[in-house]
Amino acid sequence: MTSVKRAHVVGLGLIGASLAMSLRAAGWRVTGDDVDPDVVKLAQSSGVIETDTPEPGVNLIAIATPAGAVTAVALDYLARFVDPELIVTDVAGVKAAIVQNVADPRFLGGHPMAGSELRGLQGARSDLFQGCTWVLTPTQHTPADVYTRLHGHLREIGANVVAVSSADHDRLVALASHVPHLLAGALMNQAADAAREDTVLLQLAAGGFRDMTRIAAGDPAIWPDVLFENRDAVSAAL
């Protein structure tokens, strides 16, 4: 019989909770924790996680905190769990600094190109990663087995995995994600100001405007860290 795989998700917002749900749907046992104890209680009561403590023999630890916290959290878990078979990954939208600072060969940075205008645990869903592109950023020190196993785990939840360097990831995602979010937010602020004087503006809004509204509706809490960490590529793209 195949042994049950175990995962622990750190950070139970939209992406973290969706990952927990996706893994559970694929047959994993999933634990998780969050800085907000109320979120942990809700995650347990709604069946997103089983407990808030990693189980012995945990196979995968996924860090879904804001980007600025990933390095410290990753180093903490890598120090506490010495199993050489453990894989630690993250889902942050910026990679170069994290990959550089977490040099343990059991760490492999990642970033799912998925999201929603919904926020937090309440917006999570188990099919969020079906068909999405999930970027992994191996280095020359990443063991082939670590990459192969994490690639397989992500395929289990329906993701299409691609590998790029962390530097290339940050340069490309600035154009594909970070700058579009900045522009959408700027447009919405401008439109809100204009609508105070010209109330007919919102009646004129068509499909393109609604698409930009959806982009701007993403969780603003994640963006300060991402933009600060990727400021060189974002500035160049702008």
Side-chain angles (χ1 to χ4, degrees):
M1 292 180 63
T2 303
S3 60
V4 175
K5 287 174 282 194
R6 294 171 169 82
H8 184 73
V9 180
V10 185
L12 297 171
L14 173 69
I15 299 298
S18 293
L19 178 56
M21 294 168 68
S22 301
L23 290 169
R24 292 203 72 175
W28 288 59
R29 286 179 60 85
V30 182
T31 57
D33 62 76
D34 193 275
V35 293
D36 186 340
D38 291 334
V39 169
V40 175
K41 291 178 183 176
L42 179 59
Q44 287 186 260
S45 65
S46 57
V48 174
I49 60 172
E50 300 195 23
T51 71
D52 62 354
T53 304
E55 295 185 343
V58 61
N59 306 98
L60 175 67
I61 294 175
I63 302 167
T65 66
V70 169
T71 294
V73 174
L75 292 174
D76 176 60
Y77 275 92
L78 287 163
R80 287 195 283 142
F81 294 86
V82 297
D83 185 349
E85 297 300 308
L86 172 67
I87 295 175
V88 177
T89 189
D90 75 308
V91 300
V94 60
K95 299 261 67 79
I98 293 170
V99 170
Q100 181 178 356
N101 291 327
V102 186
D104 193 298
R106 296 174 296 164
F107 177 80
L108 176 52
H111 178 208
M113 303 302 294
S116 169
E117 66 273 17
L118 302 176
R119 302 179 188 176
L121 179 64
Q122 292 83 353
R125 62 179 208 263
S126 62
D127 65 347
L128 185 65
F129 308 113
Q130 287 288 333
C132 90
T133 297
W134 197 302
V135 181
L136 294 179
T137 55
T139 72
Q140 60 182 341
H141 304 296
T142 302
D145 178 60
V146 169
Y147 179 85
T148 299
R149 284 188 289 136
L150 183 53
H151 185 289
H153 299 334
L154 298 175
R155 290 293 296 159
E156 284 185 66
I157 60 174
N160 299 318
V161 182
V162 299
V164 299
S165 72
S166 59
D168 282 344
H169 167 275
D170 290 358
R171 175 177 57 83
L172 296 171
V173 84
L175 284 168
S177 176
H178 301 168
V179 167
H181 275 85
L182 276 175
L183 296 177
L187 175 62
M188 292 306 106
N189 287 337
Q190 183 74 8
D193 289 343
R196 293 190 183 98
E197 296 183 7
D198 298 298
T199 55
V200 73
L201 170 66
L202 297 181
Q203 294 176 260
L204 304 180
F209 187 86
R210 286 192 295 272
D211 287 344
M212 293 291 281
T213 303
R214 181 191 60 78
I215 295 170
D219 186 354
I222 70 170
W223 287 104
D225 280 356
V226 167
L227 295 172
F228 178 79
E229 295 290 344
N230 204 27
R231 57 193 179 277
D232 291 340
V234 169
S235 297
L238 287 170

